[in-house]
Every structure is written in C-alpha cells, then in structure tokens.
Amino acid sequence: MSVDTRHWIGGERVASATTFTDVSPVDQAELGEIARGGAAEVDAAVAAAQAAFPGWAATSREERAGVLRAIADGVEKRLEELANVETLDNGALLRSHRRGVMPRVAHNFRFFADWLEGLAHDDFDTRGHGNHVSWDPAGPCALITPWNAPLMLATWKVAPALAAGNTVVLKPAEWSPLTASLLADIAAEAGLPPGVLNVVQGYGAEAGAALVAHPGVRRISFTGSVPTARHIAQAAAANLTPLSLELGGKSPLLVFADADLDLAVDLAVEQYDNAGQVCLAATRLLVESPIAEEFARRFAERAAALVQGDPRDEATDIGPNIHPRQLDKIDGFVRRAVTGGARALVGGGPNTDLGGLYYRPTLLAGVEQDSEIVQEEVFGPVLTLQTFDGEDEGVRLANDTRFGLAATVATGDRERAERVTARLVAGTVWVNCFFVRDLRAPFGGSRESGVGREGGNWSFDFYCDVKNTVSAPRGWRENG
C-alpha cells in the first residue's frame, strides 16, 4: 500500500519544506514522513477553495449528489486498503474497519446525496404572501477532525459540506493523517473538481490555528477537546465565522435494578471499544445498589475474557492506544485515582505482557463524585463504578459533570425509561442499547460537550445560509 503524504491543494499534490513522522501505534513502526503545513499552505488551500466555490455552488443538486455517490463507490472499491491503512495508523481493530467503519464512510456520502435531493421546506402563506425557504451554499469550510476514527468522522463533515455546495479544507489529526490523503485521491477519481476538497496536513497549533483564523473560511466544524475548542471559538469570533463543535464526554451508564443484567453487563463491557477512545463512551457506570455486587462480578468475568493484542488479528477485542503521550495520560489518571483511594476491580495499568501502547481494560471502584477520575475525560479503557439508590440519586449523579454528550440507560420499565431520559442532560440517550447512530437524527452535545447539531436537515442548516424568500400577491406583469 502506498499513501501520498503531501498536501492536496487545488487538485495537486503540494510538499512542505518540513515534515513530521507518522508512527504506528500497533508496533511503533515509522509509517512515513508527512508534509508539515502552516500558514502558507492554509492560505493556498483556502484560496483554492474560494476559487472553486462559485462553480461547485452553481452545480445542480443532482450533479453534486452524483459525485458524492461516485465517491462512495470509490470508498467501497478501496475498502480493504482503507481498512488496513487506518488500522496501522490509529490502532483500531481491522475487523471493525472492514465490517463497520469503512462501510459507514461510504454510507455517509450516499446518505447526504440522497438527503440533498429531497431537501425541502413546505411553502407557506403570510397574509396572501408566499414564503419559500431555500438553502444557499455558505462558502469554504474548515473541517478539523480527530484521530480516534479518522476517516469516518472526517466524512461525517465532508459529505454534508460538499452536498450543500461548499468547498472544503480538511485538516486531519497529525496522529492519524493517512486516510484523509487517500480520500483526496478517491474524490478526484470520482470527478470532484479541483479545489473543492483540499487536505492540509500538519499540527493543530500551526496548520489548524491558521485555518480557523482565516478570514476566507465561512464555516468551522471541529471534533476534539474542550481546551482546543476554546481557542477555535476565539479565532472564529474575530471573523464571526459560524462553528459547530463536538467535544468531550464523561457519559453515564445508568443500570437500574429491574434491568436485564446480562444486557447491562454487555453494554458496560462495550464501552472498551476502540481501547476506550470513543467520545460517546459511557465511562461512568452507575449501578443501583441492590444489584451492584452481582453486576461487578459478572462484569469482571466478561472483561477478563476480552482478548487484547494486535488489532490486525481477528480474535483481538482491544488494541493499543494511539500514542505514548495518550498512554501516559491514561496511566496518570489511574495512578492518581488509586492514590486517592480508588480500587482497581479490573486491570489498573499497562499490559506489560504486550508492552508498547497497550493498556489493560480497567474498572475503578471506591471513587468520589468530585474526584478527577469521575469528572475528567480519560479517553482510554478506564471505567468507574458507583452505586445509587433510586431514580433521583441516579439522575443527579448522571448529570453531575460539566459534560453532556451522551447517556445510556438500562431498565426493564418503559415508564421509568421515559422519566429518566427526560431528565438527563445529553445530546443522545440510548435505552437498553448503545451507539445506534442514524444520520437522520441530530447529533451533538450539551454543556461543554459541544455547540450545535449536525445530521439530516441540521447539517444543511449549519453548512448553508438558510434563506426565506417572500413574494407579494400583486405587482406582477401579466404576460400576453
């Protein structure tokens, strides 16, 4: 497999004077030297996006949708290549990339192509005057994406932005840059005009900062950390650039005593997916007191059966974490929690048998609600276990962080589910399930978990300038 590690700007490959090294989390092998962009490359990419915007915005909905479907076809043709490259680049399971992630990448393009063709608002009347709502392309969009699901999360943004008639400058995470480069190749082969999609590689403090502060950008969409989002919001404010932010989470899994306990344990163990590097993960297990002991016992049995190892092996359940800095961060959280009185019921440290970047799936009990391990996002395979008595206490604990991205509820009582979900502060709530994500639904976070919603019409509302045209009933010249 060969991946071009230069930028993609205006339909051409562009090198930089300096590079940075991309290292695989699987075995710490060097994957390549990546072009290290900065203000100059960002200026060139935004200029290319501006130049391409009038032509792409003027294309018909049907033509845009056709190109998006061709990109989806290209993803499907190169699915095996994309899956292998991304597994090497970010360490997620190859079987997940093959069966779920890359097919979802293709679906992202097909979905927004279909939604674009059906995008409409009923005309309505105001005292005899007609109202017509339309969605006008906004202009060049800056899309900054994370490393935990690089291509899928990038295309959640790229697909609706292109469908809306905008041009794009994509800045992928420097820890997992490779599949964004392959996407540029696929889009070009699908007939996307030069300059409509641009990819600038580099560090957030250099390329990313220049991109979000650029006056030529008309939309900013970012997925990542709260501190970075604060910097982006400050930069966007100077140009009054609308932005959408999908940020961190510290989501709860509420398990009530009337829940199907096997199902609840399944849901809890599922939170170790992608080595815990999932913003939506329910990392705080809140279990009603009467079943807490049995829940912990069953959970420990299930967690012990998980296979940790090379993510390219079909038998592997948990792969490595992304980077030495991330591993150190995870371990620091756990060590401080244990020093503060927490007990490791499962795991509790790096997997010394494997070495490298593998951290054992961990469950900590004896944690205080106001402790760091309960309040701060770890972004690793680390869960906490707390107990509660009754709905009121469960909801109070669930809502008692500064985040509000998601929540999961396990209960056998439909009325309880309705009462509890109505009180939870979260952008998405799952009941007796997890990570069921439909692109027709709004997606985003509350509190410090984000700003705005994307998905379905919400995506077009963000990536477009929504216009209402009001026409008078008179004043028209008669023909003939």
Side-chain angles (χ1 to χ4, degrees):
M1 293 174 288
S2 176
V3 181
D4 198 313
T5 58
R6 296 172 293 176
H7 314 289
W8 178 255
I9 299 174
E12 296 180 349
R13 289 293 173 180
V14 176
S16 287
T18 58
T19 62
F20 63 94
T21 304
D22 184 27
V23 177
S24 174
V26 178
D27 54 9
Q28 290 76 67
E30 292 187 4
L31 299 177
E33 292 297 315
I34 315 298
R36 182 173 171 176
E41 289 83 358
V42 166
D43 283 344
V46 173
Q50 289 175 314
F53 173 67
W56 182 244
T59 59
S60 68
R61 289 187 177 188
E62 292 74 20
E63 185 175 352
R64 272 183 259 151
V67 175
L68 263 63
R69 294 189 182 105
I71 295 174
D73 291 341
V75 168
E76 290 171 345
K77 288 176 183 175
R78 299 176 70 171
L79 189 146
E80 186 68 15
E81 177 186 7
L82 291 165
N84 278 280
V85 168
E86 191 140 295
T87 292
L88 285 175
D89 207 16
N90 88 325
L93 300 184
L94 180 57
R95 73 180 191 214
S96 295
H97 281 139
R98 284 173 170 160
R99 299 171 192 171
V101 176
M102 296 309 162
R104 184 54 181 263
V105 168
H107 173 69
N108 288 342
F109 286 101
R110 293 194 195 284
F111 173 87
F112 284 106
D114 293 344
W115 199 272
L116 170 65
E117 291 185 328
L119 184 65
H121 189 293
D122 290 340
D123 290 348
F124 55 96
D125 181 84
T126 304
R127 299 189 302 278
H129 294 66
N131 291 262
H132 176 74
V133 176
S134 58
W135 287 262
D136 293 350
C141 299
L143 309 181
I144 300 179
T145 54
W147 45 259
N148 59 320
L151 192 57
M152 183 174 71
L153 294 178
T155 56
W156 274 3
K157 302 175 187 295
V158 170
L162 295 182
N166 298 319
T167 52
V168 165
V169 180
L170 171 64
K171 210 298 282 183
E174 57 266 28
W175 285 354
S176 56
L178 297 182
T179 48
S181 183
L182 291 176
L183 177 63
D185 294 336
I186 292 169
E189 292 166 4
L192 192 69
V196 175
L197 171 64
N198 306 275
V199 178
V200 176
Q201 307 283 9
Y203 294 122
E206 298 170 355
L211 181 57
V212 298
H214 202 290
V217 166
R218 292 312 313 141
R219 293 291 186 275
I220 299 169
S221 181
F222 168 74
T223 298
S225 72
V226 172
T228 301
R230 295 189 193 282
H231 292 297
I232 291 173
Q234 289 174 349
N239 298 312
L240 292 180
T241 308
L243 74 170
S244 174
L245 304 173
E246 194 266 279
L247 309 176
K250 196 68 182 176
S251 301
L253 166 54
L254 277 163
V255 182
F256 287 93
D258 58 16
D260 179 325
L261 198 53
D262 287 332
L263 171 62
V265 170
D266 286 345
L267 293 173
V269 173
E270 192 176 349
Q271 308 311 311
Y272 289 134
D273 182 49
N274 200 19
Q277 298 168 145
V278 178
C279 58
L280 294 160
T283 56
R284 295 184 294 131
L285 308 183
L286 305 176
V287 183
E288 201 161 14
S289 296
I291 60 168
E293 185 175 345
E294 179 64 13
F295 175 92
R297 185 188 68 78
R298 295 193 196 185
F299 180 93
E301 288 180 355
R302 284 290 316 282
L306 295 172
V307 177
Q308 188 167 35
D310 191 320
R312 296 167 293 187
D313 189 330
E314 280 282 318
T316 297
D317 298 308
I318 299 179
N321 289 98
I322 184 76
H323 192 276
R325 289 215 311 263
Q326 188 66 18
L327 190 80
D328 290 344
K329 175 186 172 186
I330 295 165
D331 195 42
F333 271 108
V334 173
R335 288 178 181 274
R336 290 189 296 274
V338 170
T339 298
R343 307 184 312 278
L345 301 183
V346 176
N351 191 327
T352 54
D353 295 336
L354 295 174
L357 301 179
Y358 295 85
Y359 202 88
R360 293 188 185 279
T362 295
L363 176 65
L364 300 176
V367 296
E368 299 295 331
Q369 180 63 22
D370 61 355
S371 64
E372 177 193 56
I373 196 67
V374 171
Q375 293 294 326
E376 299 297 329
E377 185 177 45
V378 178
F379 220 63
V382 178
L383 310 180
T384 58
L385 176 64
Q386 298 169 270
T387 61
F388 67 90
D389 294 301
E391 286 180 22
D392 288 344
E393 185 180 19
V395 171
R396 179 182 64 77
L397 293 174
N399 287 339
D400 188 21
T401 74
R402 69 180 193 278
F403 297 106
L405 186 56
T408 303
V409 177
T411 179
D413 186 331
R414 290 182 182 274
E415 292 182 356
R416 166 173 279 156
E418 292 177 2
R419 290 194 303 269
V420 170
T421 57
R423 297 172 63 189
L424 292 174
V425 179
T428 301
V429 181
W430 288 287
V431 180
N432 294 331
C433 61
F434 177 65
F435 212 26
V436 179
R437 169 84 170 96
D438 192 312
L439 287 173
R440 293 172 293 183
F443 181 78
S446 303
R447 295 176 175 165
E448 289 192 16
S449 284
V451 175
R453 296 291 184 270
E454 295 187 37
N457 267 32
W458 291 275
S459 286
F460 287 94
D461 289 346
F462 172 68
Y463 287 109
C464 292
D465 291 324
V466 184
K467 177 192 294 179
N468 185 45
T469 301
V470 184
S471 299
R474 59 182 183 177
W476 302 101
R477 184 177 60 195
E478 295 294 336
N479 292 324

